[in-house]
């Protein structure tokens, strides 16, 4: 029997319409570096998004599922593009402004982007690439920045404000199939070509509902979220859509992502929530330790994208800011788990849950797969590769304009689950603890050593600012850990024996203790702020590190 329920497609258009009407008074505040930030209501954003859709259709000729790229910071205009482009049936393609230029060009060509909306401050990045981007017919420039580099370029140039000014604030939005593409984001691809993940209207809608649930970020119209995670990194973890669904105010840092302006905007605008990767929180901590600011408005902070060291969580607890650990991937929209402890536990009992990656929501099914392909029990001990499936999890990668979508064997199981490449254990009550990336785990004499466990233990040492541990070849054991550490400013000279003893005291098994050590000025980071361990492995292989062997 079929149900008697209405079959209303779950689309971004509906999120747009809901936000601009029901939550018309909620605001997007964009930091400008001027005394006053810029403020725009959801009603205004909605009207301007509609004008943008009209301009893209009438002036730029965007039609069907053509791709419109954005090369932008987090700001109000980027939110407008987020809502306008999918709602008109086209596909929003967010470009990661930290990628090397050749990769950016590859991605634009692969996606066959017809137009790009770019922040003026990013023109020095875009303009030299344009001769290599034959599909781009239009460049739309928004916000401050020198325009002189645009003289003589081939694509047509439009000023964002002039383009939308005076256009109609109504649009004949098409009734879309909810399974159609709404947005795409390429993975940061540490090996091989980047891979395009294409989100559907349905996946975005369902993911947004999950983001707002109490067991996830728990946001309502009483909240203001500081969206530090870039809009080019997995749709800013779904926040621009989720906020429009529930009227959550947004505080957008634009290009002011350094610790000092972030601390200023938190003290002044008092966001109740924020979302960012650990590197950002490390930087902010150093800043407020040196120049104290009031961060206490942030009762609820989402930290993820890389493992959150427990010492970082403790440091923020002391500042009255509670970090909640989350795990996800570009392929998972990204919300995969969040670490809210189960009900009824004391602070002390909550701690072991808070430092896990968290629990799966109803929309994400999980399983652990062992080296021989066997499914492992959820006993908190059996470590295997995490596989997931659900309505906001990728089933394939974009195959290009004329190609079929790609389902590489190392990324998708035969029965359609996503192979995450993350290795971990799941407790009997469903909490995930990641021990490593499959490619980062250290295989020493047939046993596995978790690089993340060593890093977390090292980063709890008072002299250590950051630590990255990688596998290096070893004649006897196959692989052994190399510990690279960044010392805190003003820390005494490094004493490797003492660091090793500190690891042993914090419970690391003797056979797992690194014998190779190196102090480095900074841990190399990927384009989205994660530890870039392949760079350290390469530096070691090429003899560029000053390594002490104990
Ligand atoms: P990306 O697609 O660039 O967001 O990268 C996704 C990967 O980041 C995951 O597969 C994990 O390896 C890593 N990651 C994300 N969140 C966490 C977390 N909370 N703890 C450890 N690793 C994480």
């Amino acid at each position: 029997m079929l149900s008697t329920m209405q079959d209303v497609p779950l689309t971004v258009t509906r999120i747009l319409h809901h936000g601009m009407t029901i939550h018309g008074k909620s605001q997007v505040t964009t930091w400008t570096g001027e005394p006053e930030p810029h403020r725009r209501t959801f009603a205004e954003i909605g009207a301007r998004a509609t004008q943008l859709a009209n301009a893209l259709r009438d002036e730029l000729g965007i039609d069907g599922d053509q791709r419109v790229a954005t090369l932008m910071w987090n700001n109000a205009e980027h939110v407008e593009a987020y809502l306008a482009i999918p709602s008109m049936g086209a596909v929003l393609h967010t470009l990661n402004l930290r990628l090397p230029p050749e990769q950016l060009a590859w991605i634009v060509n692969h996606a066959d982007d017809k137009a790009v909306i770019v922040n003026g401050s990013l023109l020095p990045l875009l303009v030299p690439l344009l001769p290599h981007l034959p599909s781009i017919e239009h460049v739309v420039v928004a916000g401050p920045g020198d325009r002189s580099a645009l003289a003589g370029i081939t694509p047509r140039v439009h000023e964002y404000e002039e383009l939308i000014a005076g256009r109609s604030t109504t649009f004949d939005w098409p009734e879309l199939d909810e399974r159609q593409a709404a947005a795409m984001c390429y993975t940061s691809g540490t090996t091989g070509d980047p891979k395009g993940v294409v989100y559907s209207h349905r996946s975005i809608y369902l993911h947004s509902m999950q983001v707002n649930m109490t067991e996830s970020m728990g946001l309502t119209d009483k909240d203001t979220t500081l969206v530090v995670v870039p809009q080019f990194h997995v749709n800013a973890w779904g926040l621009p859509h989720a906020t429009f669904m529930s009227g959550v105010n947004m505080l957008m840092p634009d290009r002011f992502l350094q610790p000092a302006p972030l601390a200023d905007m938190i003290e002044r605008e008092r966001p109740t929530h924020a979302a960012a990767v650990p590197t950002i929180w490390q930087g902010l901590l150093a800043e407020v330790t040196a120049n104290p600011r009031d961060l206490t408005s942030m009762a609820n902070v989402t930290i993820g994208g890389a493992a959150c060291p427990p010492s970082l969580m403790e440091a923020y607890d002391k500042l009255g800011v509670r970090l909640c650990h989350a795990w996800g991937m570009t392929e998972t929209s990204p919300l995969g788990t969040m670490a809210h402890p189960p009900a009824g536990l004391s602070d002390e009992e909550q701690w072991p849950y808070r430092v896990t990656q968290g629990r799966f929501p109803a929309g994400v099914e999980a399983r652990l797969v062992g080296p021989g392909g066997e499914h492992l029990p959820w006993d908190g001990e059996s470590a295997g590769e995490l596989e997931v499936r659900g309505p906001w999890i990728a089933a394939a990668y974009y195959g290009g304009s004329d190609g079929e979508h790609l389902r590489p064997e190392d990324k998708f199981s035969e029965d359609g689950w996503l192979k995450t490449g993350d290795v971990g254990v799941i407790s009997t009550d469903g909490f995930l603890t990641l021990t490593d990336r499959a490619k980062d785990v250290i295989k020493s004499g047939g046993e596995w050593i978790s690089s993340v466990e060593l890093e977390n233990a090292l980063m709890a040492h008072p002299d250590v600012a950051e630590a990255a541990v990688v596998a290096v070849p070893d004649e006897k054991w196959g692989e052994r850990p190399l510990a690279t550490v960044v010392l805190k400013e003003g820390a005494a000279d490094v004493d490797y024996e003492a660091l090793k003893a500190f690891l042993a005291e914090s419970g690391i098994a003797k056979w797992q203790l690194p014998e190779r050590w190196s102090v480095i000025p900074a841990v190399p980071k990927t384009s989205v702020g994660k530890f870039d361990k392949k760079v350290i492995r390469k530096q070691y292989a090429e003899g560029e590190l000053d390594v002490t062997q104990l």
Side-chain angles (χ1 to χ4, degrees):
M1 190 199 298
L2 276 181
S3 81
T4 63
M5 292 294 113
Q6 298 182 7
D7 194 6
V8 176
L10 309 177
T11 58
V12 173
T13 328
R14 292 204 152 80
I15 299 179
L16 164 64
H17 185 251
H18 175 80
M20 69 186 282
T21 53
I22 303 286
H23 297 296
K25 289 194 181 130
S26 296
Q27 284 198 341
V28 179
T29 302
T30 306
W31 204 249
T32 55
E34 310 281 327
E36 262 307 302
H38 176 268
R39 301 181 203 279
R40 201 168 277 160
T41 64
F42 280 18
E44 288 165 335
I45 297 258
R48 288 167 52 93
T50 313
Q51 289 178 311
L52 176 61
N54 277 308
L56 292 175
R57 174 71 39 87
D58 298 343
E59 194 65 31
L60 277 64
I62 299 296
D63 210 350
D65 63 359
Q66 285 180 340
R67 269 71 67 203
V68 179
T70 55
L71 186 63
M72 301 174 87
W73 306 104
N74 289 11
N75 51 41
E77 292 75 26
H78 206 173
V79 175
E80 289 159 11
Y82 254 58
L83 297 165
I85 296 164
S87 297
M88 63 189 287
V91 182
L92 166 80
H93 177 198
T94 52
L95 297 174
N96 179 345
L97 54 93
R98 300 199 200 286
L99 283 183
E102 324 73 71
Q103 259 192 46
L104 257 186
W106 189 94
I107 286 173
V108 172
N109 290 327
H110 191 256
D112 195 22
D113 297 328
K114 284 283 165 282
V116 56
I117 309 179
V118 58
N119 276 137
S121 55
L122 294 169
L123 285 172
L125 172 62
L126 178 72
V127 172
L129 281 184
L130 284 171
H132 311 286
L133 310 178
S135 64
I136 297 282
E137 294 168 10
H138 300 269
V139 175
V140 182
V141 195
D146 180 10
R147 310 306 207 237
S148 56
L150 289 165
I153 66 165
T154 310
R156 264 183 70 196
V157 177
H158 312 261
E159 274 296 333
Y160 187 93
E161 292 301 328
E162 288 168 20
L163 184 68
I164 68 169
R167 293 205 185 255
S168 168
T169 52
T170 61
F171 188 90
D172 187 14
W173 302 111
E175 188 63 88
L176 301 164
D177 180 333
E178 63 180 19
R179 287 171 184 77
Q180 246 173 268
M184 63 198 300
C185 179
Y186 282 72
T187 62
S188 33
T190 42
T191 49
D193 288 332
K195 298 181 189 74
V197 174
V198 185
Y199 307 101
S200 65
H201 284 263
R202 172 186 155 86
S203 71
I204 288 176
Y205 195 103
L206 293 172
H207 181 262
S208 303
M209 294 183 77
Q210 182 61 48
V211 165
N212 287 332
M213 277 179 76
T214 330
E215 62 158 1
S216 299
M217 301 191 202
L219 302 173
T220 72
D221 61 352
K222 295 185 190 68
D223 287 297
T224 297
T225 175
L226 168 60
V227 189
V228 186
V229 56
Q231 286 185 257
F232 59 72
H233 187 206
V234 215
N235 299 327
W237 297 354
L239 281 166
H241 302 115
T243 47
F244 244 68
M245 213 176 225
S246 291
V248 186
N249 302 287
M250 276 176 262
L251 174 58
M252 297 304 219
D254 198 80
R255 60 197 185 282
F256 304 97
L257 293 166
Q258 309 72 23
L262 283 178
D264 290 343
M265 69 185 86
I266 294 166
E267 189 169 61
R268 183 169 157 170
E269 295 293 321
R270 302 196 61 73
T272 55
H273 173 262
V277 294
T279 321
I280 295 280
W281 298 111
Q282 297 273 18
L284 188 67
L285 181 64
E287 167 67 27
V288 297
T289 308
N291 305 297
R293 312 285 217 297
D294 180 8
L295 307 183
T296 52
S297 63
M298 292 191 300
N300 159 26
V301 160
T302 308
I303 180 166
C308 171
S311 52
L312 188 65
M313 215 177 265
E314 262 168 339
Y316 274 95
D317 275 358
K318 291 195 186 109
L319 295 175
V321 174
R322 188 170 166 119
L323 303 185
C324 184
H325 200 190
W327 164 85
M329 312 171 67
T330 307
E331 290 87 338
T332 65
S333 290
L335 212 143
T337 58
M338 275 195 79
H340 293 292
L345 300 182
S346 67
D347 281 357
E348 211 177 309
E349 290 165 332
Q350 288 187 19
W351 183 252
Y353 286 100
R354 290 182 59 199
V355 297
T356 68
Q357 267 68 19
R359 252 198 299 212
F360 300 95
V364 180
E365 285 174 75
R367 68 187 186 193
L368 290 176
V369 180
E374 73 282 15
H375 293 176
L376 301 173
W378 293 13
D379 56 9
E381 281 171 16
S382 309
E385 182 177 358
L386 174 68
E387 295 189 357
V388 289
R389 79 170 167 194
W392 57 83
I393 312 270
Y397 294 113
Y398 181 57
S401 307
D402 355 280
E404 283 192 13
H405 288 342
L406 312 168
R407 290 183 181 76
E409 262 174 39
D410 60 333
K411 291 305 235 162
F412 300 97
S413 71
E414 262 177 30
D415 55 351
W417 291 56
L418 172 74
K419 298 182 180 176
T420 65
D422 287 321
V423 173
V425 300
I426 300 178
S427 64
T428 46
D429 48 358
F431 278 79
L432 167 74
T433 300
L434 290 184
T435 47
D436 239 319
R437 287 290 292 162
K439 60 181 189 309
D440 290 338
V441 74
I442 302 150
K443 296 168 193 106
S444 173
E447 299 282 346
W448 284 5
I449 301 176
S450 158
S451 64
V452 174
E453 197 182 341
L454 291 173
E455 287 160 8
N456 283 342
L458 276 171
M459 286 193 269
H461 190 281
D463 287 342
V464 176
E466 280 186 327
V469 178
V470 298
V472 295
D474 182 276
E475 267 190 20
K476 183 161 176 205
W477 299 106
E479 286 178 359
R480 289 295 297 161
L482 159 72
T484 62
V485 290
V486 181
L487 295 178
K488 280 196 184 143
E489 256 185 60
D493 259 358
V494 66
D495 177 349
Y496 294 129
E497 287 292 356
L499 284 178
K500 193 170 162 185
F502 179 79
L503 287 183
E505 276 160 33
S506 57
I508 306 286
K510 195 156 171 261
W511 65 271
Q512 300 188 338
L513 298 174
E515 40 290 298
R516 293 175 183 81
W517 294 80
S518 184
V519 167
I520 54 173
V523 176
K525 307 268 168 30
T526 68
S527 60
V528 288
K530 304 182 191 199
F531 286 7
D532 198 346
K533 296 198 186 175
K534 71 174 183 319
V535 173
I536 301 178
R537 282 191 286 261
K538 185 158 172 272
Q539 287 169 339
Y540 177 82
E542 293 175 359
E544 287 168 16
L545 295 178
D546 181 11
V547 177
T548 299
Q549 183 140 4
L550 303 181

